[in-house]
Amino acid sequence: MSSESFFWMGKPIPFRAGESVAAALEAAGILSFGPAPGGGPTRYFCGIGACQCCLVRIDGCVREACLTPACSGARVEELGAADAKV
Ligand code: FES
């Protein structure tokens, strides 16, 4: 088990070197990443940056969780309500 972790909504999530944020969240049993701008939940879907279904806020910036390597200590959160109304 990895000793590195980032924080999802304040909860530590372990990850392996080179793993994406989305893969680590899924491995931790987190399948919904919060509300999507178009409605419904954000989630890990295509894994290649095409669908935009995995948008989350990482250290204050909106990012595709499937394309963003997990980084120790990062703060990862659901998009806010304002983001979901785009
Ligand atoms: S899962 Fe499709 S862009 Fe991330």
Side-chain angles (χ1 to χ4, degrees), residues 8 16 25 32 39 43-44 58 62 65 69:
W8 167 249
R16 292 175 288 178
L25 288 171
S32 172
R43 59 193 172 104
Y44 192 11
I58 301 175
V62 177

Side-chain angles (χ1 to χ4, degrees), residues 16-64:
R16 292 175 288 178
E19 195 169 33
S20 71
V21 168
L25 288 171
E26 186 173 76
I30 297 167
L31 304 180
S32 172
F33 303 165
T42 51
R43 59 193 172 104
Y44 192 11
F45 185 64
C46 75
I48 59 171
C51 73
Q52 301 292 290
C53 286
C54 65
L55 295 177
V56 293
R57 188 173 297 281
I58 301 175
D59 289 336
C61 298
V62 177
R63 303 269 189 227
E64 295 96 342

